[in-house]
Amino acid sequence: MTIAVAANIYKFVEKEIISKADFRDFIFTNLATLYVKKNPNFFKELLLRRK
């Protein structure tokens, strides 16, 4: 999904057609759940840099 697609979908939040929680689920939660159900260790080796 490109940034342009996400920006267009966010317009539905601005018009109050969907909630911010629905947007978050669509953009992140559903996709993360898909990968974790298939491979529970999918994010295990992901390193995050803290500032």
Side-chain angles (χ1 to χ4, degrees), residues 22-45:
D22 291 337
F23 177 77
R24 181 195 62 236
D25 289 346
F26 182 76
I27 296 296
F28 174 75
T29 307
N30 294 337
L31 193 56
T33 301
L34 173 75
Y35 284 110
V36 170
K37 281 188 177 182
K38 176 113 176 138
N39 178 6
N41 295 319
F42 185 81
F43 292 109
K44 185 176 182 179
E45 294 184 22

Side-chain angles (χ1 to χ4, degrees), residues 1-12 14 23 26-27:
M1 181 178 309
T2 66
I3 292 174
V5 173
N8 283 329
I9 295 168
Y10 194 78
K11 290 178 183 176
F12 289 110
E14 294 172 335
F23 177 77
F26 182 76
I27 296 296

Side-chain angles (χ1 to χ4, degrees), residues 42-50:
F42 185 81
F43 292 109
K44 185 176 182 179
E45 294 184 22
L46 179 67
L47 298 175
L48 300 176
R49 181 188 295 177
R50 291 187 183 192

